[in-house]
């Protein structure tokens, strides 16, 4: 797809990517997706911080924790890209986990623990984050524009 420079965003599209469980492919995969988002006029920190870091963390978690760094296992991405938002499902081939049991890495008693930072970043940077019941697929949504927040914090 050719970059869309200044014109209206194109109609939506959907596609699938499959990646090996190899951390070295994350940067290229996230770069490819970011280029696709630019055609839909995603830009600034929503693209360069929220999307890039959220996707990189989701892919790293799927490869390391989900697939156990097994090079024979794959990570599948199902991407739906539209003028107002991008939705990505990241599937790994592992047994899954319960994301509610991951300790909050911002609590003082957990600051020295090794886990939970990636999930914390994903939840902080993306507009919607949901896990399937098995815990081996995370659905991420990022809107092109930051949602308006009410004074009450909702």
């Amino acid at each position: 797809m050719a970059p869309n420079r200044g014109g209206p965003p194109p109609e939506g599209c959907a596609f699938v990517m499959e990646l090996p469980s190899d951390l070295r492919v994350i940067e290229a995969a996230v770069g490819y997706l970011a280029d696709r988002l630019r055609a839909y006029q995603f830009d600034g920190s929503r693209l360069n911080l929220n999307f890039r870091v959220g996707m990189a963390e989701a892919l790293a978690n799927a490869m390391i924790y989900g697939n156990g760094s097994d090079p024979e296992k794959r990570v599948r991405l199902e991407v739906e890209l539209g003028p107002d938002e991008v939705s990505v499902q990241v599937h790994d081939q592992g047994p899954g986990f319960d994301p509610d049991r991951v300790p909050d890495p911002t609590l003082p008693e957990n600051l020295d623990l090794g886990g939970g930072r990636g999930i914390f970043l994903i939840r902080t940077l993306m507009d919607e984050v949901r896990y399937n019941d098995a815990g081996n697929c995370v659905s991420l949504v990022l809107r092109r524009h930051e949602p308006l927040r009410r004074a009450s914090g909702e």
Side-chain angles (χ1 to χ4, degrees):
M1 175 182 284
N4 180 0
R5 308 236 188 261
E11 294 295 319
C13 71
F15 56 95
V16 173
M17 296 172 63
E18 285 203 9
L19 305 174
S21 290
D22 182 343
L23 297 175
R24 295 174 294 186
V25 304
I26 291 175
E27 183 176 343
V30 172
Y32 172 78
L33 292 169
D35 286 344
R36 298 288 302 259
L37 269 65
R38 281 190 191 90
Y40 288 81
Q41 300 177 350
F42 282 77
D43 62 5
S45 64
R46 302 283 294 164
L47 175 65
N48 295 316
L49 174 66
N50 296 58
F51 182 77
R52 283 183 173 269
V53 173
M55 277 306 307
E57 290 294 336
L59 290 173
N61 283 348
M63 291 175 185
I64 295 170
Y65 301 110
N67 286 346
S69 299
D70 182 343
E72 300 298 318
K73 292 184 177 177
R74 313 282 292 176
V75 174
R76 178 181 171 94
L77 286 78
E78 296 177 10
V79 182
E80 293 182 35
L81 185 51
D84 296 320
E85 69 180 34
V86 59
S87 172
V88 183
Q89 291 187 352
V90 180
H91 303 259
D92 64 56
Q93 294 182 298
F97 75 108
D98 182 352
D100 293 332
R101 297 181 58 114
V102 175
D104 180 346
T106 65
L107 295 177
E109 63 269 23
N110 298 331
L111 291 177
D112 292 330
L113 297 178
R117 289 179 180 86
I119 292 173
F120 173 79
L121 285 171
I122 293 167
R123 287 180 170 155
T124 301
L125 295 170
M126 302 303 276
D127 294 320
E128 293 179 28
V129 178
R130 294 181 309 275
Y131 290 86
N132 68 355
D133 289 341
N136 62 359
C137 175
V138 61
S139 298
L140 311 170
V141 173
L142 183 71
R143 293 181 188 82
R144 188 161 56 99
H145 299 290
E146 186 170 2
L148 296 176
R149 302 210 189 264
R150 298 174 188 227
S152 64
E154 295 177 26

